[in-house]
Amino acid sequence: MRISTQQVYSQSVYNMQQSQLKLAELNEQISTGKRIQSAADDPVGAAQMVALNEELAQLEKYESNIGYAQNSLDLEETVLSDINIAMDRMSELTVQAGSSTLSNNDREFIANELRGLTEYVAGLMNTQTASGEYIFAGSQGHTQPFPEDGNGHYQYQGDDGQRQIQAGASFLVTTGDAGSEVFMAVPGELEVSLLGADTDAFAVTVTDETSADALFSAAGDLHLSIAEDALGNFSYSLNDSSGNALGDPALSNIAFIPPETLEYEGLSLALNPTGAADISLRGETPQQSILDVALDLADALEQPVTGSDDQQRISEAVAQALTDIDIAQEQLLSVQTAIGARGGALERQLDSNQELQLITKSTLSSIEDTDLTTAITDLQLEQTLLEASQVVFGQVTGMSLFDYIR
């Protein structure tokens, strides 16, 4: 096979150009510290790098979320601690108010301080974050949770939702608690409502709240059925929510002449029907906040005491307030405990995320980074080969057929 002078030149130049390209690549790898400059250098490695970088970005987002969650929990814990201190003072004032040696002016002074503490606590319950969101409004962050209703009282306007944030691949953490869960823990007075088309002919009064509350807890909604026969005789039946007759003996088909009063388990039902009727009785115990407790006590203390009956009224109000404050503080302690548990979980998740970051960065480095020892060795070798090629090329091109003729 004949090789032309042109082929020799072309092949030699091509080989030297390839060596120069390789030298440039090695220089780039050494100067940047990155082995893979483009996907063409290592398609599989480049794909792995993309996946690892995405994982690192997600871990960094989790770390940012954890920082936000920790700040939110710290703010909530601080606010709850301040509220708890105010409630301690309310408890002290309540105990003082129970003394029979106090004058009406003394009780009024206590009532004024209770109202001042109420306003202070209401302000804390309406705490906002730096971004303007209310921390105790549930998922309604831009709704003030405890606005004043114009009558000196406060009604919860948020919802029962909880805001959560992603702190790990499979870990969601609650960053705030709804005011209904934190503060609305004090049971109010039982409220019984009548449901049906003929409720005007009936009236209900709670005569023993404890018994009536137990009744509704066990039986659910009560169903009162009034029957009238062809002779105009009336009878009633009282059943639980499952249709079972209540009472022993059973209050079923009991004849009566209107108006009649039915007494049963702390309830007094006035029956005055003009015909057959079916109504339901629903018992509900509204939940109150510590604000309601303090304001109710202040109202009681502001009423003058003129005799033993008034003093008894004060004693009962004080006893109820002390019980309610204890309930409110126990709920507050429960929430604070939950906040502490969340904070601990966040710290553990942060440690886990940071370990994953180190592992991911190490894996990425093993794929992406240049092995400097190998790269420098390859650079020196490639440079030697290029120099040798240049020497050989110079010698080959210097040869001529005329050298042999001579």
Side-chain angles (χ1 to χ4, degrees):
M1 180 180 67
R2 295 180 179 181
I3 299 176
S4 68
T5 300
Q6 180 65 37
Q7 286 178 302
V8 172
Y9 271 77
S10 297
Q11 187 62 44
S12 297
V13 171
Y14 175 78
N15 289 338
M16 287 186 288
Q17 288 176 336
Q18 291 301 112
S19 291
Q20 288 172 337
L21 286 174
K22 184 64 176 176
L23 282 171
E25 289 177 2
L26 290 169
N27 275 312
E28 184 72 15
Q29 290 179 11
I30 292 170
S31 63
T32 62
K34 303 300 180 184
R35 181 180 69 86
I36 301 176
Q37 300 297 322
S38 67
D41 296 336
D42 184 351
V44 175
Q48 291 175 329
M49 285 170 51
V50 170
L52 290 170
N53 280 316
E54 289 178 351
E55 185 175 342
L56 281 174
Q58 191 62 62
L59 288 170
E60 289 173 0
K61 179 61 177 176
Y62 292 153
E63 187 170 349
S64 174
N65 287 350
I66 287 174
Y68 172 82
Q70 287 175 326
N71 290 337
S72 296
L73 293 178
D74 288 345
L75 175 60
E76 183 178 357
E77 187 171 18
T78 299
V79 171
L80 293 183
S81 295
D82 291 342
I83 291 175
N84 196 43
I85 293 172
M87 290 169 66
D88 286 338
R89 179 56 181 163
M90 288 180 180
S91 183
E92 293 174 4
L93 292 171
T94 302
V95 172
Q96 291 178 18
S99 173
S100 59
T101 62
L102 295 180
S103 66
N104 287 332
N105 285 338
D106 294 333
R107 280 185 286 271
E108 188 171 349
F109 290 147
I110 293 175
N112 289 335
E113 186 172 350
L114 284 172
R115 293 190 184 279
L117 285 169
T118 299
E119 292 181 7
Y120 169 68
V121 171
L124 292 173
M125 290 161 65
N126 287 317
T127 297
Q128 294 174 274
T129 64
S131 61
E133 290 190 320
Y134 293 95
I135 65 175
F136 295 117
S139 60
Q140 305 295 319
H142 296 289
T143 299
Q144 185 178 353
F146 290 95
E148 201 268 330
D149 62 6
N151 297 316
H153 285 262
Y154 302 84
Q155 301 296 325
Y156 182 62
Q157 300 299 317
D159 60 20
D160 298 333
Q162 288 183 318
R163 279 169 283 182
Q164 295 183 316
I165 198 169
Q166 192 88 26
S170 57
F171 179 51
L172 286 171
V173 64
T174 300
T175 59
D177 295 279
S180 56
E181 175 68 20
V182 182
F183 305 115
M184 307 295 291
V186 180
E189 294 183 357
L190 176 67
E191 297 177 355
V192 181
S193 54
L194 301 175
L195 308 174
D198 304 305
T199 56
D200 291 343
F202 304 89
V204 60
T205 303
V206 178
T207 57
D208 185 337
E209 186 167 344
T210 300
S211 298
D213 189 61
L215 170 63
F216 284 108
S217 297
D221 289 354
L222 308 184
H223 181 69
L224 177 66
S225 178
I226 304 294
E228 182 184 16
D229 62 19
L231 299 176
N233 297 315
F234 287 91
S235 62
Y236 67 81
S237 298
L238 186 64
N239 301 324
D240 63 18
S241 58
S242 299
N244 302 311
L246 295 173
D248 185 17
L251 297 175
S252 183
N253 298 318
I254 306 297
F256 73 98
I257 299 174
E260 175 74 3
T261 300
L262 166 60
E263 304 282 350
Y264 180 70
E265 296 294 340
L267 295 178
S268 178
L269 288 169
L271 314 178
N272 192 25
T274 58
D278 288 291
I279 66 168
S280 295
L281 291 84
R282 177 166 298 169
E284 296 176 319
T285 302
Q287 298 300 105
Q288 300 182 98
S289 71
I290 186 62
L291 305 177
D292 298 314
V293 173
L295 291 173
D296 288 346
L297 179 59
D299 288 340
L301 294 177
E302 288 171 342
Q303 298 177 28
V305 173
T306 58
S308 59
D309 290 345
D310 290 333
Q311 187 61 52
Q312 178 64 27
R313 171 181 56 79
I314 294 295
S315 298
E316 292 175 356
V318 166
Q320 185 63 55
L322 285 174
T323 299
D324 293 343
I325 291 173
D326 284 343
I327 293 173
Q329 287 193 297
E330 285 177 7
Q331 180 62 17
L332 217 61
L333 177 60
S334 175
V335 175
Q336 287 177 302
T337 302
I339 291 173
R342 288 180 218 150
L346 280 174
E347 291 179 1
R348 291 189 294 273
Q349 185 64 43
L350 180 60
D351 291 341
S352 177
N353 289 349
Q354 290 175 339
E355 289 178 6
L356 285 174
Q357 278 184 315
L358 289 175
I359 294 171
T360 304
K361 287 179 179 179
S362 176
T363 304
L364 181 61
S365 176
S366 67
I367 297 171
E368 181 184 31
D369 292 350
T370 301
D371 183 342
L372 290 178
T373 302
T374 301
I376 291 172
T377 302
D378 290 345
L379 178 68
Q380 292 174 340
L381 176 60
E382 196 65 38
Q383 194 165 2
T384 301
L385 291 175
L386 177 59
E387 291 172 354
S389 297
Q390 290 171 340
V391 171
V392 170
F393 179 70
Q395 292 175 346
V396 170
T397 55
M399 295 176 62
S400 171
L401 182 60
F402 291 104
D403 292 334
Y404 293 97
I405 294 176
R406 289 196 302 267

